[in-house]
Each structure stands twice: as C-alpha cells, then as structure tokens.
Amino acid sequence: MQSKIIKELPDLIKNEVISKEVALKIESYYRSKEENAPNKLFVVFGVFGSLLIGLGLILILAHNWDQFSRAIKTIFAFLPLIIGQLFVGYSILKKKSRTWKEASGTFLFFAVGASIALVSQIYHLPGDLSSFLLTWIVLCLPVIYLLKSHVLAILHIVFATYFACESGYGYSSSGSSPWLYILMIALVLPHYYMLLKQNPKANITSLLNWFIPLSATIVLGAFVETNYSIGFLLYMILFGLLYNIGKIPFFYAQQLRRNGYLIIGSIGTIVILLWTSFTWIWEDLIREVVFFSNEFYIAIALFLGALAVLGYSYYKKWMKEFHLFQYVFVLFSMLFFFGFSSETIPTILVNVLLFVLGLITIKIGADRFHFGVLNYGLFIITSLVVCRFFDTNMSFVIRGLLFVTVGFGFFITNYWMLKKQKQILKK
C-alpha cells in the first residue's frame, strides 16, 4: 500500500493536486516508516529457522544417544536451554530487532520442553504428559512478557489447549476438569490486551482473535465429566458469548476475516441448532440430563457472562439494530429446559428458529451487498432442508423438488444482487 502511494506522487504533482514539498514529506514519512517496521517475512523465516536448528540438533543427538554416559547426556540435556537463554539475554540487553526476539524466544521455548523431557528420561522421573505440559507452559510464561513475543503468546495458547485436552479428554486423561487451563489463558490476556490497544489491525492480533475462541471451543468439552447431554447447552451459551463479543464495535468495525469471535460464534450457533433440530436428540436429553452438577454450574457461569456482555452492549448503546443471533443462547436455554416436558415442541421451535436466522442472514447480506453473508444465509436454509431429508417421510419427488428450489434460490439471489450492484456502480 505504501509503495503504491509513493508511485502515485509524480502523477499527483503533475496534475497539481499536491506540491513538491508535500510530496517529499509524504515520501520521507513512508520511507522512515518502512525502515522502522520489522520485515514480517524475515520474522517468519527466523522463527522457522530456530525450529529447524533445534530439531536438527535433537536428531543428531538421538542417533548417538545410547553411546553417551549419564553425565554427558545431562550436559546435552541442559545445553539447548543454556544456548536459548544466552540468545534471549543477548536480544534483551542489546535491544535487538523483533526478528531476533521472536526467533530466540521460540528456540528457548522448545529448548525448555526438550530439557525437561531429556532429564526425565535420563533419570527415569515419574510423571504424565499433562504435568509435563503444565511445567513447560509455566516456565516459559515469563518469557512472553520479557520479549513481548507474539509467537510465544500463540505457542502458549496452543500448548495450554493441548494440556487441557490431555487432562480432560480420552482414556489417558485424569478424568477431572482442567481448571488450570483457565488460569493459563488468563495469564496471557494482558499481552493480548496490549496488542489490541497498540496494533488492533495487525496480522498477529487477528491470529489471536481466532486462536482464543478456537481454544475455548476445543477445551469446553473437557469440562464435561459425566453430564454429557448438557454439553449442547454449554456450547450454545459459549457461542452466544463469542458472538456478542464479536459484535462489540472494536471487533465489529474490523474486517470480517479478522473477527474470529463473530464467525466462530455464528457458525457454532448454527451447528448446535442443526444438531438439535432432530427429535431423537431431545428424547435423549430428557433421559440423561442431571441438574445441579458440575456442568450445570459451568453453564450458569457462562450464561451470566454472555448476559453481562449483552447487557453492557445495550447499556453502551452499541446495539443500534436488532440481531437475533445475539439472543439465540437465551432462547435456546429456555427451550432446553422446556424440552423436558415435551420433545416435539422444542424440535419444531428450533427448526423455525433456524429458518428465521437463515432469512435474516440473507436479508443482511442483500442489504449490505455482501455475497459471503448472503450465501451463508442460503447455506443455513439448505442445511436445514438436508437435515429434514433424513428424518421425514416425504417422497423422493418432493425432496428432489425442495433441493431444486433451493438451488434456484442460490442462483437467482446471487444473480439479482450482482445485477443490482452493477446498476448502483453505473450511477
């Protein structure tokens, strides 16, 4: 973008839009900005270079590992850690570039993990994978703030998610909720907040806008120990919370692809509604849900959090127009508890809600001339038709006509909006 502006300067001077003095000031401003800005590609290659060097050293040592004595093995176990600390210390003391800090921080992060693993293997120390991951994450947490490293913040979130999954999912898990995951994510939020204030439109901030809600979505199921049916309610409330965070003007004013909260919240809401649009789901819910359990209290906490975000948005007058998506978690919570008296009524209401959401999304896409939003609305209705294909007794002719109708709807709606957009551009 900056190079394009500089290239346009001679043409602007020629047409007497700006003077030569102004052009020189603009050029010097952007030149100085480019000099001070870190080379993003160089940062990426620096980080990958650190990873490859670390992996190469591990492979070389692994090939001859059995031939070394225990003392030599211990030295090699701590050697990457010492080298990584020296590089990090050099980057801090000499106030090196962003590339140096990110590369050295990444190398130290994996050096810490390698050293812990090697020492445990050499001296046969007991422990499981979840405790190893937790120790690794805690030891590397201060480095995020020492280096102000964005890559380490992402690695922290990724490995905290891995820790939570290892602790809460699967046969090898301890079977308990990974409460320490919440603390791990909370400890990295100050760095994330700093990024939001200083570089809200930076690519790394956009990545964190995706990684944090994705991590929460992946880990939430680890908090469901026995009361599995209430998981539908938990996820619906979580997606409602994420969607309402994404509707806050700070996030909503950004490009849609940068707003992971809004996209994950919206798609997640539709997925849960499609899943619960089947009658047999509500039949299982009636038999299996247990109230006043650990999962039930988590659902209440999430609901209060989502309601607080919604209420604060209303108090700050950010909600200038009605968006049904923002209230779906409230409606679904009411249906969830109502479903215990009858499985038919909540099933019908969920299908109606899905259809209405699809129509509203189509209208929003048409009003804003946004083809992505428009086709997302059409996709919601198509998904609803596909779901009903499997649990209704309609003839194949009627089902075929429904698919043909929806297909024509896709074509006609997109064609109409494209034609209207061209007419507006001509004016």
Side-chain angles (χ1 to χ4, degrees):
M1 180 61 74
Q2 295 174 10
S3 60
K4 288 182 180 178
I5 293 172
I6 293 172
K7 288 178 181 178
E8 291 291 331
L9 291 178
D11 189 50
L12 294 172
I13 296 170
K14 183 180 178 181
N15 292 293
E16 298 182 351
V17 177
I18 59 173
S19 62
K20 289 183 179 179
E21 292 77 12
V22 174
L24 286 171
K25 287 181 180 179
I26 293 172
E27 186 174 0
S28 62
Y29 170 75
Y30 280 115
R31 296 291 184 197
S32 63
K33 199 172 182 181
E34 286 178 358
E35 289 173 4
N36 295 327
N39 190 319
K40 295 177 182 178
L41 191 61
F42 194 53
V43 172
V44 172
F45 283 130
V47 171
F48 275 107
S50 300
L51 290 173
L52 291 172
I53 291 170
L55 290 172
L57 291 173
I58 290 171
L59 288 173
I60 292 169
L61 292 173
H63 181 70
N64 302 290
W65 190 249
D66 293 334
Q67 301 176 16
F68 298 135
S69 64
R70 178 174 287 188
I72 298 297
K73 288 179 181 179
T74 304
I75 293 171
F76 278 129
F78 282 100
L79 188 60
L81 183 61
I82 296 169
I83 294 171
Q85 288 177 322
L86 289 173
F87 276 123
V88 167
Y90 178 75
S91 301
I92 295 171
L93 293 174
K94 295 295 183 179
K95 297 180 180 179
K96 300 298 288 184
S97 65
R98 170 63 56 192
T99 306
W100 260 94
K101 291 180 178 179
E102 296 290 2
S104 61
T106 303
F107 182 86
L108 180 60
F109 181 88
F110 287 101
V112 169
S115 296
I116 296 172
L118 287 171
V119 170
S120 299
Q121 188 268 336
I122 293 167
Y123 295 96
H124 306 289
L125 300 177
D128 54 14
L129 181 57
S130 59
S131 61
F132 162 67
L133 291 170
L134 181 61
T135 306
W136 186 358
I137 295 165
V138 171
L139 288 174
C140 292
L141 178 65
V143 187
I144 298 174
Y145 294 97
L146 284 172
L147 296 175
K148 296 181 180 179
S149 173
H150 311 322
V151 175
L152 286 182
I154 290 177
L155 288 172
H156 178 90
I157 294 169
V158 170
F159 278 82
T161 305
Y162 185 18
F163 158 75
C165 292
E166 181 64 28
S167 300
Y169 290 121
Y171 296 104
S172 61
S173 67
S174 59
S176 58
S177 299
W179 296 107
L180 286 172
Y181 163 81
I182 299 174
L183 178 61
M184 293 297 102
I185 295 298
L187 290 173
V188 83
L189 288 181
H191 181 82
Y192 178 50
Y193 180 73
M194 178 195 70
L195 270 175
L196 290 176
K197 285 189 69 177
Q198 296 178 358
N199 300 297
K201 296 183 179 179
N203 291 330
I204 190 68
T205 310
S206 301
L207 282 175
L208 287 170
N209 289 344
W210 279 93
F211 271 85
I212 290 176
L214 271 175
S215 176
T217 303
I218 293 168
V219 171
L220 182 61
F223 289 90
V224 180
E225 297 176 12
T226 55
N227 197 3
Y228 299 109
S229 295
I230 209 169
F232 289 105
L233 180 62
L234 280 171
Y235 270 102
M236 179 58 76
I237 298 172
L238 173 67
F239 293 136
L241 173 62
L242 295 178
Y243 188 87
N244 279 286
I245 291 173
K247 288 293 289 185
I248 294 173
F250 180 85
F251 294 106
Y252 194 62
Q254 299 186 31
Q255 293 177 323
L256 187 60
R257 61 183 175 83
R258 296 179 180 273
N259 195 347
Y261 296 99
L262 190 74
I263 295 175
I264 293 172
S266 176
I267 294 175
T269 297
I270 295 302
V271 169
I272 296 297
L273 287 176
L274 286 171
W275 195 257
T276 54
S277 66
F278 294 91
T279 306
W280 61 269
I281 291 290
W282 293 98
E283 292 174 350
D284 291 340
L285 288 176
I286 293 172
R287 291 194 300 267
E288 296 179 8
V289 169
V290 178
F291 292 103
F292 305 109
S293 58
N294 185 47
E295 296 83 358
F296 182 75
Y297 296 127
I298 295 173
I300 291 174
L302 279 174
F303 185 85
L304 292 175
L307 208 60
V309 174
L310 187 62
Y312 188 72
S313 299
Y314 182 79
Y315 171 75
K316 299 292 285 187
K317 297 181 180 179
W318 292 335
M319 300 168 62
K320 297 179 181 179
E321 53 186 10
F322 179 80
H323 287 281
L324 184 59
F325 266 103
Q326 291 182 272
Y327 302 92
V328 170
F329 76 96
V330 178
L331 297 174
F332 187 85
S333 300
M334 295 168 63
L335 286 176
F336 188 86
F337 294 108
F338 186 76
F340 293 107
S341 59
S342 171
E343 70 274 5
T344 306
I345 295 175
T347 304
I348 294 171
L349 292 176
V350 165
N351 280 271
V352 171
L353 183 58
L354 268 169
F355 185 72
V356 173
L357 287 172
L359 292 178
I360 290 173
T361 307
I362 291 170
K363 185 180 183 302
I364 292 171
D367 292 341
R368 297 179 182 174
F369 291 100
H370 197 298
F371 284 91
V373 176
L374 174 76
N375 285 290
Y376 177 52
L378 290 169
F379 176 77
I380 293 172
I381 294 177
T382 304
S383 301
L384 182 61
V385 172
V386 171
C387 289
R388 299 293 70 77
F389 179 89
F390 293 105
D391 68 345
T392 56
N393 295 321
M394 291 185 294
S395 66
F396 283 98
V397 175
I398 297 175
R399 294 177 183 180
L401 288 173
L402 281 173
F403 278 104
V404 171
T405 304
V406 173
F408 271 112
F410 265 98
F411 174 77
I412 292 169
T413 308
N414 281 275
Y415 177 76
W416 171 80
M417 195 167 78
L418 184 62
K419 190 175 180 181
K420 192 174 179 181
Q421 192 177 45
K422 288 180 179 179
Q423 289 174 352
I424 293 172
L425 290 173
K426 286 180 181 179
K427 292 178 182 179

